[in-house]
Amino acid sequence: ILNVEQSPQSLHVQEGDSTNFTCSFPSSNFYALHWYRWETAKSPEALFVMTLNGDEKKKGRISATLNTKEGYSYLYIKGSQPEDSATYLCAFNFGNEKLTFGTGTRLTIIP
Amino acid sequence: DTEVTQTPKHLVMGMTNKKSLKCEQHMGHRAMYWYKQKAKKPPELMFVYSYEKLSINESVPSRFSPECPNSSLLNLHLHALQPEDSALYLCASSQEGVAGDEQYFGPGTRLTVT
């Protein structure tokens, strides 16, 4: 069983500040890495899918990078807004369609 | 329409009851998934249907019985559940059911077994 760690577990950020958090994995033997945003009482929302070492993806103020050689992915949020408050999950495909989720980072933006 | 809907939103059932969870999508996706999420834990895969055939069963107890009547609908039939089965049950769908497919999730059914 692959151990997918996310850090920090929770994070409080002042509105307007930028922030980032990490998804760590011990092996590059996977097909794709996904990032999801999950707001309370809503559906998990797909942000990015990345497959290649060095991949960088961007959607508005949110971006992500993937480093398979060193075993991590970063998610960056620039100029945090209250609507960014959510739990951010990374997840992996290991050769098939099953997603194995990380432990999540709970982000709270302080107005 | 990029929405996955799930009914009911909440369900309370006794250990001797039989109930069903329903999931629906109209995006033309050919793969549908059931995940279970316990409090403070990440979602865990239970079943995958691809082209209306069961393709993955993650050794789920037989008291959970999935059904895919057509490519838009996914049911989870529940019978003789235990209190430890109380959890959030999430449904998802994806285009083809292959690695790298973006999965679209519903909001979940919060199940409480008494």
Side-chain angles (χ1 to χ4, degrees):
Chain A
I1 297 174
L2 194 74
N3 197 24
V4 178
E5 296 285 339
Q6 289 188 245
S7 61
Q9 192 172 17
S10 66
L11 188 57
H12 289 75
V13 174
Q14 202 69 41
E15 182 177 352
D17 287 352
S18 296
T19 187
N20 66 84
F21 29 91
T22 309
C23 173
S24 302
F25 45 93
S27 166
S28 61
N29 190 25
F30 63 89
Y31 184 85
L33 182 150
H34 302 246
W35 278 102
Y36 281 86
R37 173 170 60 200
W38 195 358
E39 294 179 64
T40 303
K42 294 190 177 179
S43 308
E45 175 197 355
L47 293 174
F48 306 113
V49 182
M50 294 184 287
T51 57
L52 299 175
N53 183 45
D55 260 355
E56 293 186 22
K57 295 283 178 86
K58 190 170 191 287
K59 184 186 287 189
R61 296 179 291 99
I62 303 177
S63 60
T65 61
L66 177 62
N67 185 325
T68 59
K69 292 183 179 177
E70 296 187 26
Y72 65 82
S73 175
Y74 287 149
L75 190 81
Y76 300 89
I77 302 177
K78 186 177 177 182
S80 303
Q81 299 297 309
E83 59 265 29
D84 296 329
S85 295
T87 295
Y88 290 82
L89 292 161
C90 64
F92 290 83
N93 292 120
F94 294 104
N96 65 20
E97 64 272 40
K98 172 183 174 180
L99 280 180
T100 300
F101 283 88
T103 48
T105 291
R106 186 176 182 87
L107 175 65
T108 303
I109 306 303
I110 304 164
Chain B
D1 182 5
T2 59
E3 193 179 19
V4 176
T5 58
Q6 290 187 242
T7 54
K9 287 188 178 178
H10 301 275
L11 178 62
V12 179
M13 61 185 289
M15 289 189 284
T16 58
N17 291 157
K18 285 185 181 181
K19 296 286 185 183
S20 297
L21 310 184
K22 296 185 186 302
C23 174
E24 193 166 1
Q25 57 87 15
H26 295 289
M27 293 176 276
H29 288 174
R30 303 316 299 260
M32 296 187 78
Y33 310 74
W34 280 116
Y35 289 84
K36 174 181 178 179
Q37 195 229 359
K38 299 280 283 182
K40 300 190 187 302
K41 299 280 188 183
E44 291 185 348
L45 183 70
M46 300 174 72
F47 302 104
V48 182
Y49 272 84
S50 182
Y51 289 81
E52 299 165 44
K53 287 186 168 43
L54 184 65
S55 60
I56 296 179
N57 176 342
E58 288 286 298
S59 303
V60 178
S62 60
R63 57 185 184 269
F64 295 91
S65 175
E67 179 198 18
C68 189
N70 60 60
S71 59
S72 299
L73 292 172
L74 184 66
N75 299 321
L76 186 63
H77 303 298
L78 314 172
H79 173 56
L81 294 194
Q82 304 297 309
E84 60 264 29
D85 296 321
S86 298
L88 180 70
Y89 289 84
L90 291 162
C91 174
S93 69
S94 71
Q95 190 71 42
E96 293 290 334
V98 296
D101 256 6
E102 191 171 287
Q103 292 185 22
Y104 292 75
F105 283 82
T109 293
R110 176 73 61 187
L111 174 67
T112 303
V113 181
T114 61

